[in-house]
Amino acid sequence: MAADLTATAETLKPARRRRGVFGLSWRILGLVVVAVMTAEVLIFLPSIARFRVVYLEQLIESGTLAALALDATPDNMVTEQVKRSLLDNARVDAVVLVEPNKPKRALMNIEPRPSMPGYNLKEQGFFSLIWDALEAMAHDGQRYIRVGGESMRLPKAMVWIVADEWPMRIAMYGYAGRILALSILIALFTAALLYLGLRWLVILPLQDLSSAMTAFRRAPEEAGAERAPARRNDEIGVVDREFQNLQRELRASLRQKSRLAEVGAATNKINHDLRNMLSTARLLSDRLARSDDERTRSLAPTILGTIDRAARLASDAIQYVRDQPAPRLANVDLADLVDEVGIALQEQGEESTPNVVRQWVNAVGENNHVRADRDLLYRVFVNLGRNAFEAGAHTVTVRHQADGGNTIIDVADDGPGVPQAITAQIFRPFATGGRAGGAGLGLAIARDLVRAHGGDIALTETSASGTTFQFTLPFAGH
């Protein structure tokens, strides 16, 4: 308790809310920006491909108009000056119009060459159009390309043009810049809205909850200022309310354990003095047993039994509140240990109630070993056997069987059985089942000792004809 009173002021301070530069809010903001920009890129790729196709289709249409101008001349021939004017207005350097059942019409400032990259818009698919658009933007400098396609004015004709790619590339750069600026604005606006919404709905409640958790971790037994319960019905509201319920339950449990620890410490001191007084009382009872007065001698066994029960009650209480030692595991001969326990229990029974017949049956075969702490395992058998005999059993049988890597041990008696009302809490401390003279700690101590070995214990059968307790221990082999 002195250590609790000297707690530093810093330990009791409420936890400060951590606001890191790269906290959850900023990470969410970054993820939103990345997600929106990724979506914009996925939208941009087909958009820039479509922009290039539309640009080339417009060149094909204007080239078609230039080629159709030849129909206005008597011999489909124009002067060099008119040809240049038509091609400049069409923004192409050559155009060839191929129409079924009609002569080919052509205007050329530059002769098409096989080395020029060629594109047929009628034969290109979705992904090839995207690739061609990206390739065009990545190319540097002037480059002439040959492009073929259909004209809206002459659906059955095939039109081929030769054009400088540089003007189209400049237009594509401008379009990409506008898309990029719009994407950034959309990303920032969307991210800001999501950031504010998530911060209000998620981040701030989580920060308050984490601060409360940190404060509770630093001083779990201090009640502090109770926060108002969250009115939200979503997951965060449920978590907040459940955490407040957990805080209250843990604080109550810790206070109870602290009180039990204080009671245990006080009981340990009382037990020391009590045992000294009981020892003196036993010596006096021994003198009464040797008294010349027959009536006095007849009272001596009752007094001795009462003193023994009081001493055992104090001893069991101390064993329960005291921290159990860590088992020192070794190979233990199970049959030999069970025999030793049986001798001790029968001697105790003869001393307390010599007129009652008790049988301790060792059904464990020879050369059966377990990995256990012999002293602690001895206490397990003593507690189970003593409980059985004190409950009214005349015969207790100890059996065992191997199950994989464990040894299963049954301790069965022919007593009246455990009352149905307490079977669920039979291993809880101070659960006596209405039996007089007991502290209700034997089974609780036995359970703690078995669990310290890595096993467990359970009530497997109880009726008017007897009760069976079963526990497991690591198997050591033969």
Side-chain angles (χ1 to χ4, degrees), residues 110-119 135 139 142-146 162:
I110 297 177
E111 289 287 339
R113 296 186 298 274
S115 60
M116 294 179 180
Y119 306 98
E135 183 186 28
H139 195 270
Q142 189 178 39
R143 183 175 71 162
Y144 288 97
I145 57 174
R146 294 181 297 113
V162 174

Side-chain angles (χ1 to χ4, degrees), residues 327-406:
R328 292 176 292 183
L329 300 180
N331 283 358
V332 177
D333 188 330
L334 191 57
D336 180 67
L337 177 62
V338 172
D339 281 337
E340 183 180 344
V341 172
I343 294 172
L345 288 175
Q346 286 176 342
E347 288 179 351
Q348 292 176 11
E350 290 176 359
E351 186 176 347
S352 60
T353 51
N355 296 326
V356 177
V357 178
R358 295 179 175 86
Q359 292 185 354
W360 179 264
V361 180
N362 184 356
V364 177
E366 296 182 355
N367 297 323
N368 286 297
H369 295 77
V370 292
R371 290 286 294 174
D373 186 312
R374 199 178 194 280
D375 294 336
L376 299 184
L377 187 56
Y378 178 90
R379 289 170 56 188
V380 173
F381 282 115
V382 166
N383 283 327
L384 292 174
R386 191 173 64 194
N387 271 13
F389 286 132
E390 290 181 351
H394 297 284
T395 302
V396 176
T397 304
V398 180
R399 300 184 296 265
H400 97 290
Q401 59 179 326
D403 181 21
N406 294 323

Side-chain angles (χ1 to χ4, degrees), residues 15 35 47 62 71 126 157 166 211 230 243 247 259 263 280 313 444 472:
S47 297
S62 60
D71 293 341
F126 176 78
W166 175 250
S211 298
F243 174 67
Q247 278 183 307
R259 286 194 294 269
V263 171
T280 304
L313 175 61
T472 58

